[in-house]
Amino acid sequence: MLIRDFREKDLVHVSNLVVETFNRNYNPEFYISLFERWKRGFLVVEDERGVVGVLVAAISAPKEARILLMAIRPEHRGKGIGTMLLSEFISRCFIADIKSVSLEVRVSNESALRFYNNQGFDVISLLPSYYEDGEAGYLMRKAL
Ligand SMILES: CC(C)(COP(=O)(O)OP(=O)(O)OC[C@H]1O[C@@H](n2cnc3c(N)ncnc32)[C@H](O)[C@@H]1OP(=O)(O)O)[C@@H](O)C(=O)NCCC(=O)NCCS
C-alpha cells in the first residue's frame, strides 16, 4: 500500500471512486483546480492494482485545512487504510504549520462519524439542511 501525491493520470480512478462512494460526478476541472490550489492536500492510496483511496483537502483560512472528500474503496474499508491516509495528511498539515483540520459529515454516516471521532475529531456544530437532499451535517474539527 502506497500513499502518494495525486497525478493527473489518477483522475479517472479518483472520479470513479467518488461516483461509487458519494454518487457525485464532478468534472475533471474540479479535481484539477483543487490539485493546483494545494498539491500536498490531494493524496491517493494505491495497491498493486491501482487507486484504492483518496483524500482531497483545501486551505480554508490561514493555518486551517478542510477535508473536502475522503473515500476508501468499499472492499478495502475496515483494514486501517483510512487511518493511514488521514495520518499522512495530518503529518503534512503539521509540516505546513496548519493548526486545525475541519470537515463535514452527514448525520446518518455513522461509520465515518465513528472513524473521525477515533481519529481525534470533535463535533463542533450541527449544520441543518447542509446537503442538497436536505440532510443535516456535522461540522467536525481536530486541533493540531
Ligand atoms: C470513512 C472511511 C474513509 C474510513 O476508511 P477505512 O479505511 O474504512 O478506515 P479504517 O479501516 O482505518 O478504520 C475503520 C474502522 O476499521 C477498524 N480497523 C482498523 N484497522 C483494521 C484492520 N486491520 N482490520 C479490521 N478493522 C480495522 C478501525 O478500528 C475502525 O473502526 P471504527 O469503525 O470503529 O472507526 C471509509 O469507511 C469510507 O470511504 N467511507 C465512505 C465514504 C465516507 O463516508 N467518507 C467520509 C465522509 S467525507
Side-chain angles (χ1 to χ4, degrees):
M1 218 51 81
L2 171 73
I3 300 176
R4 59 166 175 78
D5 291 350
F6 169 83
R7 298 180 201 130
E8 281 199 37
K9 74 170 181 56
D10 301 321
L11 229 158
V12 63
H13 307 294
V14 167
S15 178
N16 289 344
L17 177 52
V18 171
V19 169
E20 178 183 45
T21 307
F22 301 108
N23 200 19
R24 288 298 205 153
N25 198 356
Y26 299 114
N27 60 35
E29 291 76 28
F30 171 74
Y31 294 107
I32 298 298
S33 69
L34 288 171
F35 179 59
E36 294 297 333
R37 269 168 61 189
W38 188 20
K39 294 195 167 60
R40 300 287 286 165
F42 199 145
L43 296 81
V44 298
V45 192
E46 69 178 0
D47 68 6
E48 59 287 344
R49 284 182 298 175
V51 171
V52 302
V54 63
L55 186 158
V56 188
I59 305 278
S60 50
K63 299 189 188 255
E64 276 184 38
R66 179 167 165 226
I67 296 176
L68 302 176
L69 60 92
M70 176 172 180
I72 303 296
R73 291 200 67 161
E75 64 271 34
H76 289 82
R77 290 178 195 161
K79 296 178 181 167
I81 299 172
T83 301
M84 275 173 39
L85 180 59
L86 190 58
S87 303
E88 169 61 22
F89 173 67
I90 299 284
S91 303
R92 290 179 176 207
C93 288
F94 267 119
I95 291 166
D97 200 30
I98 299 239
K99 303 295 187 198
S100 82
V101 178
S102 62
L103 55 89
E104 292 85 20
V105 184
R106 284 179 181 268
V107 292
S108 64
N109 194 348
E110 288 173 21
S111 60
L113 279 165
R114 196 171 54 238
F115 170 77
Y116 289 124
N117 226 288
N118 288 345
Q119 305 298 321
F121 284 78
D122 296 316
V123 171
I124 300 296
S125 58
L126 177 71
L127 307 168
S129 307
Y130 182 73
Y131 295 95
E132 275 173 8
D133 60 4
E135 187 173 343
Y138 286 121
L139 173 64
M140 301 187 82
R141 182 173 293 140
K142 177 184 171 80
L144 306 188

